[in-house]
Amino acid sequence: MNCMVPSIIIFLGHKTFFLGYSLEETYEALRTFEVLGIEKQPDLRAATCASVVDTLSSPSSAVKDLFQALRVNGLLNCELKKKTFAGIAPRLKDAVKSARSLLDYYYSVGGLVLIKALSQSDGRWRYSSNNPESSTYAAGIALESLAGVILLASSEIDQSLIIMVKNDISKLLDGLEKYDDGAYYFDEKLVDAHGHQGPLSTSSAVVCGITAVAAVSAENLNLPGDKILGLARFLLGVGVPGNAKDLYYQIEALASLENNRVSIPLILSLPTSVLSLTKKNQLKVNVNTVLGAAAPSLTIKLKQIFSSGSKDASVIDQIVLHDSEHKMIYATGGRTKVPIYITGVIKVDNAEISVLDSNLGNVETRKKLDLAGENSISLSANHLQKLRLSFQLTSPLGRALKPHQENSFLQPLGSVELDLPEPPEKAARPPPQAVDPSSRFGPKAEITHIFRAPEKKPPTNLSYAFLALVLLPFIGFLVGLLRLGVNLKNFPSAPATSAILFHLAIAAVLSLYLLFWLKLNLFTTLKALGFLGVFLLFVGHRTLSHLASTSAKLKSA
C-alpha cells in the first residue's frame, strides 16, 4: 500500500478540493486522508465546519444531509452548541418511525426487526418493500445499519436475531466470484434508479457492513479466512482508482479490514519475484496487513515448488501464527501461491566438431573448439561422411542443463568449401529452380519509344492568308447590309433587354463553336452548350412572343 500514497496525495492534496463539493464527498475525502495518515488542510476546516453548522441548524435539512454532516463533524470536531444536538435527536427519531426504504433506515439507523423484512434468502437485500429486486450493494448498507442498531440497543437484544444476521452473511459470502489469482469480489447485477454499482463499490459496501456487524456483535461470525483474504487481494489488486469516489470505496474497505477485531487479513508478498541463481539471490517474503502494518509473530513455511518450463515457477507458502489467540483475529487464508521467475547465466563449454562415418557413426576426426576465442582448425570430409557439432550447457549450480526454450545466441564457427564432382553425362539433371513469384513485381527494363516524325505543315503566312479568305465573305455580308440600308427600327423596344440578351446568346453559341474548333473538347463544349441553350430558349421565346403579339395587333388594326 505504501506505493499508492504518492499518487493519492497528488490526486487529493489540492487546496481547493472541497470547494463546491457536497458533505458526502467531503467526508469521503477526509476519511481517505485519515486512513492514509495525510494531514488535513487547516485553511479548509473553517469553511467546512460552517457548512456543517448550517446543515445541522437548518430545520429544512434532509435526514441524509444530517447524517453526512454528523459524519464530517466526527472527523473535524467542529464547535457545535448543545442545543444543536438537542434539536437533531427528535428529528432522527421521527425519521425512524416514518422510514419506508432501506436508505431511510440507513441514514436514520432504523430498527433491526423492521428492516429484517427486506432481506432475501440468498443474503442480499431489497432497497424497499415496493422493489422486488434484491441487491448485493443493498446488503452492505443493511449490514452497516444493523451494526448501528446493535451498537445503540441494550445488552438484552435477542441473540436469535443476531444468528439470523450471521446466516445471512454466510449466504452472502457464498455468492462471491473468484479470479484465477485467488482474489474474491462481489458483482452487482441489479440496475435500477439507484444506478449500477461496480465490483469495487459493491465489494466495499459488503466488507464495511460485515466488519461493522463483527465489531459490535458478541456472536462469533466464523468468517472464512480464505474469502476475507481474497476480498483484500481484490481491493489491493485494483491499484489506484481513477476517481475520488472509487478511491474512497477502496480506502474505506481496506480500513475496515485493517481495524476489525475478528478477521484481519495478512497479505503475503515478495519484495522481488525475479531471482538470479548466478548472483545467489535468496527467496524473501513479506507479511503485512492490508495497509502495511507489521504482522504479529509468525513463521512462513515453504510447502511446495512447481516448475513451469525454464522461465517461471511458483512456490506455495503457508503462514503459521505463533500465538494461538492470533488465529482468532487474523486471516491467513491457508496456502498462498506466488509466481516467481528464476534466471541465471548458462555456460557453454566442451565444444568440439567431429567427422563421422555416415554408415556406422564412428568418429574419424575430432577437434576441440574455443567458442570464446579464435580457432584455426580445418577438417575435410567426403560425401559419405557427416559433420557434427557438439557442446555442453552448464547451469549456475554447475549441473548439466538440457535446454527447452533458452535464449538463443549466435556464434560464427568458420567457413565451408564444397568441391563437387562433375555429374555423369547420362545423369538426370536437377529440375529447374522455381521462379520467385515476387520477382514479377520488381522493376522492369526501360523501354525506349521512337515517336513518328510529324507530318509537314504549310507555311504560317499561307494559313493566315487562307483565314482572311474565309472571313472575307462575312465582311462582304456586313458591307452589303450597310449598302442596302437595313431597317433597325423594328428592333423590339419594350423587351429590349430580352432582345439584346437573345442576340448575345446567339453570339455566345457561335463563339463556343469557335473555341471548340480551337481548343475545347467535345464534353466540355456540350456542357457549356446545354447551359447556353436553355438561356437562349428562354430569352428567345420572350422576344419572339413579343414580336408575334405586336404583328397580330397591327394586322387586326
Side-chain angles (χ1 to χ4, degrees):
M1 281 301 296
N2 292 337
C3 62
M4 187 186 300
V5 175
S7 299
I8 296 175
I9 294 175
I10 296 174
F11 183 61
L12 297 175
H14 197 276
K15 289 186 177 181
T16 60
F17 177 78
F18 300 102
L19 298 181
Y21 280 71
S22 65
L23 287 173
E24 179 181 5
E25 294 168 323
T26 302
Y27 168 77
E28 293 171 355
L30 291 173
R31 175 60 176 158
T32 303
F33 286 154
E34 182 185 44
V35 173
L36 297 178
I38 303 173
E39 295 183 359
K40 295 180 280 291
Q41 301 289 344
D43 56 341
L44 298 174
R45 186 177 185 277
T48 307
C49 284
S51 178
V52 170
V53 173
D54 292 341
T55 302
L56 296 178
S57 302
S58 175
S60 61
S61 298
V63 177
K64 177 181 178 181
D65 295 333
L66 295 176
F67 172 74
Q68 300 296 348
L70 290 173
R71 292 210 299 178
V72 174
N73 178 66
L75 296 176
L76 296 181
N77 294 322
C78 300
E79 296 180 0
L80 299 177
K81 298 180 180 180
K82 292 184 179 180
K83 63 178 183 179
T84 302
F85 287 104
I88 296 174
R91 297 174 60 186
L92 292 177
K93 292 179 181 180
D94 294 338
V96 173
K97 297 178 182 179
S98 61
R100 293 295 182 269
S101 67
L102 179 59
L103 292 178
D104 293 337
Y105 288 117
Y106 176 70
Y107 295 132
S108 59
V109 194
L112 175 62
V113 178
L114 295 178
I115 64 173
K116 188 67 184 70
L118 297 176
S119 65
Q120 301 294 293
S121 59
D122 59 355
R124 296 186 295 174
W125 288 63
R126 291 176 292 150
Y127 280 105
S128 65
S129 57
N130 297 327
N131 188 354
E133 297 292 337
S134 57
S135 166
T136 305
Y137 181 80
I141 295 178
L143 292 175
E144 195 169 352
S145 299
L146 293 176
V149 172
I150 296 172
L151 181 63
L152 296 177
S154 64
S155 59
E156 298 178 356
I157 188 170
D158 190 354
Q159 292 299 314
S160 63
L161 299 178
I162 305 298
I163 295 176
M164 293 175 62
V165 175
K166 176 182 175 180
N167 294 333
D168 287 346
I169 293 176
S170 178
K171 295 175 183 178
L172 190 63
L173 292 175
D174 291 338
L176 277 169
E177 300 189 33
K178 184 179 180 181
Y179 286 117
D180 295 336
D181 59 355
Y184 286 90
Y185 67 99
F186 288 98
D187 194 9
E188 182 67 280
K189 300 179 176 60
L190 174 65
V191 179
D192 62 356
H194 298 279
H196 175 68
Q197 301 293 338
L200 179 57
S201 59
T202 304
S203 302
S204 174
V206 176
V207 167
C208 293
I210 292 177
T211 54
V213 173
V216 299
S217 174
E219 180 74 18
N220 187 2
L221 300 183
N222 294 326
L223 300 177
D226 57 337
K227 294 183 178 180
I228 297 299
L229 187 62
L231 285 169
R233 289 174 179 169
F234 168 74
L235 294 170
L236 292 174
V238 297
V240 180
N243 57 72
K245 195 73 173 178
D246 289 340
L247 179 63
Y248 166 75
Y249 286 138
Q250 180 192 42
I251 297 299
E252 183 69 10
L254 290 175
S256 299
L257 292 174
E258 179 86 0
N259 299 321
N260 80 92
R261 62 180 181 85
V262 292
S263 187
I264 301 176
L266 296 179
I267 306 299
L268 185 148
S269 61
L270 301 180
T272 176
S273 60
V274 180
L275 304 178
S276 174
L277 289 177
T278 304
K279 298 180 180 180
K280 298 181 179 180
N281 294 146
Q282 295 181 348
L283 180 63
K284 297 180 180 180
V285 179
N286 291 338
V287 179
N288 301 96
T289 62
V290 291
L291 292 182
S297 179
L298 53 82
T299 300
I300 304 297
K301 290 186 177 181
L302 181 63
K303 306 298 292 186
Q304 289 176 305
I305 299 179
F306 293 95
S307 176
S308 176
S310 59
K311 287 188 175 181
D312 58 350
S314 60
V315 297
I316 295 183
D317 299 315
Q318 185 176 10
I319 300 177
V320 179
L321 296 170
H322 294 170
D323 193 339
S324 59
E325 295 183 358
H326 289 164
K327 297 180 181 179
M328 305 299 296
I329 301 176
Y330 295 95
T332 59
R335 298 183 177 185
T336 303
K337 183 178 180 181
V338 182
I340 62 173
Y341 298 87
I342 300 176
T343 64
V345 177
I346 304 299
K347 295 182 180 180
V348 183
D349 51 10
N350 296 334
E352 62 181 21
I353 186 168
S354 307
V355 178
L356 306 180
D357 187 351
S358 60
N359 293 328
L360 302 177
N362 298 329
V363 178
E364 297 186 357
T365 306
R366 179 186 289 115
K367 293 188 177 182
K368 296 287 185 179
L369 291 178
D370 184 10
L371 297 180
E374 296 182 358
N375 298 279
S376 59
I377 62 175
S378 61
L379 293 175
S380 61
N382 56 35
H383 63 288
L384 299 177
Q385 295 174 322
K386 296 180 180 179
L387 289 177
R388 183 183 69 183
L389 172 66
S390 62
F391 52 87
Q392 183 178 359
L393 299 180
T394 306
S395 69
L397 299 178
R399 301 173 183 175
L401 177 69
K402 184 178 181 180
H404 295 280
Q405 295 178 348
E406 191 181 344
N407 294 335
S408 61
F409 64 95
L410 181 64
Q411 178 69 39
L413 298 177
S415 59
V416 177
E417 295 182 2
L418 300 178
D419 186 9
L420 301 177
E422 292 292 334
E425 295 181 357
K426 297 182 179 180
R429 299 290 179 179
Q433 298 294 327
V435 179
D436 185 5
S438 61
S439 62
R440 60 179 178 175
F441 300 108
K444 303 298 182 182
E446 184 180 356
I447 300 176
T448 303
H449 183 73
I450 301 177
F451 294 93
R452 185 180 63 180
E455 298 180 357
K456 294 183 179 180
K457 297 182 180 180
T460 306
N461 295 333
L462 181 61
S463 299
Y464 287 145
F466 180 76
L467 177 61
L469 292 176
V470 172
L471 295 177
L472 185 60
F474 179 71
I475 296 175
F477 171 73
L478 296 177
V479 173
L481 290 177
L482 295 176
R483 298 284 295 176
L484 294 174
V486 177
N487 184 9
L488 298 178
K489 295 180 179 181
N490 290 331
F491 192 85
S493 58
T497 304
S498 299
I500 295 174
L501 293 176
F502 176 61
H503 287 81
L504 291 177
I506 295 176
V509 172
L510 296 176
S511 301
L512 180 63
Y513 290 159
L514 177 63
L515 291 175
F516 170 67
W517 183 63
L518 293 176
K519 59 183 298 185
L520 297 180
N521 55 46
L522 180 61
F523 295 102
T524 304
T525 303
L526 290 177
K527 290 180 182 179
L529 184 61
F531 289 108
L532 288 176
V534 173
F535 180 73
L536 180 61
L537 178 64
F538 174 74
V539 296
H541 178 269
R542 185 171 182 179
T543 302
L544 296 178
S545 297
H546 175 75
L547 293 177
S549 176
T550 304
S551 177
K553 290 179 180 180
L554 292 176
K555 289 180 180 181
S556 61

